Amino acid sequence: MNQDSIPTVGAVARLIQELNRLPSIGPKSAQRLAYYLLRAPEEEAKQLAEAILSVKQKTRLCSICCNVADSDPCATCRSEQRDRSQICVVEQPQDIMALEHTGIYGGLYHVLHGAISPTEGVGADNVRIKELMNRLQGGSVKEVILATNANLEGETTAMYLSRLISPLGIRVTRLACGLPFGTELEYADDVTLTRALEGRQEF
Ligand SMILES: [Zn+2]
């Protein structure tokens, strides 16, 4: 902000309103962040604004795995090191980050961008299932690991996928317990997630 431009209450109110829209940011936190940014050096605020814009402008979805990436295909799909016979299916891009953090999985991924939820009107066509089925055509995939969340929507989706994929003669596994019911993958700790991945079972 210029020295001579005093921010109006409207500008602060707008920033609070925008921050308040973010997940897990309540009105109190939004207010605290807004006033923090108001006092922060202009450079810091600019960097945050640029980072937000750049994530919108420079990232795209990988046309193979549907993960968020800055190139298409993404680095994982391009990598020679990854085991191409395994695809781990997750609901959200951040689930991949959690699984990668365990360091024990070397296959490929597929991001559904949601889960089937009849109560919320989300059907099979609203998530990236068609893209997944296309990937299974070539015959190189031997196992699909269903790593959808351990809640009602995640289970419904896993069941639906299992019924579609099993007839293709591809092994279908599901992350083992270890993940308590109701857990979202992105919040699971490394040990729980490792145990769940290692103990995955036929589904
Ligand atoms: Zn990819």
Side-chain angles (χ1 to χ4, degrees):
M1 99 195 73
N2 296 328
Q3 298 219 309
D4 54 355
S5 80
I6 297 154
T8 62
V9 172
V12 179
R14 186 180 159 209
L15 180 57
I16 293 171
Q17 202 178 16
E18 292 302 324
L19 290 167
N20 193 197
R21 279 186 218 252
L22 301 173
S24 15
I25 305 284
K28 278 253 165 61
S29 303
Q31 222 171 62
R32 207 161 38 233
L33 288 169
Y35 281 102
Y36 168 80
L37 287 168
L38 188 61
R39 283 189 298 263
E42 182 160 341
E43 193 49 33
E44 191 177 330
K46 218 180 206 167
Q47 275 177 16
L48 176 66
E50 278 169 11
I52 293 170
L53 276 183
S54 134
V55 87
K56 295 305 290 179
Q57 290 165 352
K58 294 189 184 151
T59 58
R60 64 202 83 186
L61 291 189
C62 170
S63 57
I64 300 172
C65 69
C66 305
N67 191 14
V68 178
D70 40 23
S71 64
D72 182 22
C74 72
T76 308
C77 287
R78 276 201 324 267
S79 168
E80 302 277 321
Q81 325 298 333
R82 311 292 302 206
D83 181 350
R84 293 179 177 277
S85 72
Q86 283 182 319
I87 294 181
C88 180
V89 180
V90 296
E91 291 182 20
Q92 302 296 347
Q94 54 267 44
D95 299 333
I96 293 185
M97 288 168 84
L99 287 162
E100 281 296 284
H101 202 251
T102 69
I104 63 161
Y105 179 68
L108 300 176
Y109 289 99
H110 190 85
V111 185
L112 295 173
H113 293 277
I116 297 173
S117 172
T119 52
E120 284 175 42
V122 182
D125 292 340
N126 303 120
V127 294
R128 309 276 177 147
I129 289 178
K130 203 169 62 207
E131 288 85 344
L132 172 65
M133 297 314 288
N134 286 340
R135 294 178 71 185
L136 304 180
Q137 296 305 317
S140 56
V141 178
K142 306 289 177 224
E143 180 184 1
V144 172
I145 303 166
L146 301 174
T148 47
N149 289 329
N151 54 25
L152 190 60
E153 292 78 19
E155 283 301 317
T156 307
T157 308
M159 212 101 84
Y160 181 87
L161 286 175
S162 171
R163 272 193 225 121
L164 273 188
I165 299 166
S166 295
L168 305 176
I170 295 168
R171 186 177 176 219
V172 178
T173 54
R174 175 96 172 102
L175 289 194
C177 52
L179 285 177
F181 196 78
T183 303
E184 289 186 20
L185 224 58
E186 124 182 59
Y187 300 114
D189 64 273
D190 281 358
V191 177
T192 307
L193 213 48
T194 299
R195 220 174 279 158
L197 202 52
E198 282 174 341
R200 68 182 186 272
Q201 294 155 348
E202 298 295 337
F203 186 68

